[in-house]
Amino acid sequence: MPKESRNMRKIRIKQALLNQLETSGKTDDYWHDLVLDYLAFWEIKEKLKVDIERNGIMTTVQNGSQVFRKRNDALVELPKIHKRMTDVLEVLDIKPVEGEPDGDDY
């Protein structure tokens, strides 16, 4: 099975969230805006994961004549973004649907 593109995954996630909101009667713009916030966090999470894959857990930094290695900041930010995503889902009162894979290979 070919890997699903990031854009297709995002569309699928958005539709699943909107479907659950509609089912629970949450159709006001406020709820839709929260879904968009969730998707913005999702995009950031995906970019952080790519950064970690590309640069590893340690990065080389050049500051003037100094060259040193330090921890990749993406390692610190990724759990923070994940927590914010979870917070948005709690506000939306979104629960996983039984039988549907979450699509998160993290």
Side-chain angles (χ1 to χ4, degrees):
M1 183 169 152
K3 187 171 181 173
E4 187 176 33
S5 73
R6 181 189 299 186
N7 193 47
M8 288 305 296
R9 284 179 53 214
K10 183 177 178 181
I11 290 168
R12 189 174 47 83
I13 290 168
K14 179 180 181 180
Q15 194 56 54
L17 292 173
L18 291 174
N19 288 346
Q20 283 198 42
L21 288 177
E22 186 175 331
T23 299
S24 61
K26 298 175 182 171
T27 58
D28 294 331
D29 289 342
Y30 168 78
W31 301 108
H32 187 265
D33 191 49
L34 282 173
V35 168
L36 297 178
D37 289 346
Y38 178 88
L39 293 170
F41 284 128
W42 183 85
E43 277 291 337
I44 293 167
K45 177 194 71 143
E46 292 297 307
K47 290 176 182 176
L48 289 171
K49 287 170 48 177
V50 167
D51 182 77
I52 293 168
E53 288 173 15
R54 282 190 185 147
N55 299 315
I57 59 173
M58 299 293 288
T59 59
T60 301
V61 177
Q62 183 169 358
N63 185 4
S65 62
Q66 295 179 335
V67 177
F68 57 94
R69 294 192 41 86
K70 69 173 205 140
R71 178 184 60 214
N72 187 340
D73 291 336
L75 289 171
V76 176
E77 296 305 317
L78 187 59
K80 292 177 185 178
I81 294 299
H82 188 267
K83 171 67 173 126
R84 297 303 302 151
M85 291 172 70
T86 303
D87 291 345
V88 172
L89 291 178
E90 286 178 13
V91 169
L92 293 172
D93 195 28
I94 298 289
K95 306 289 185 234
V97 176
E98 290 298 318
E100 282 190 17
D102 64 4
D104 192 2
D105 49 321
Y106 168 67

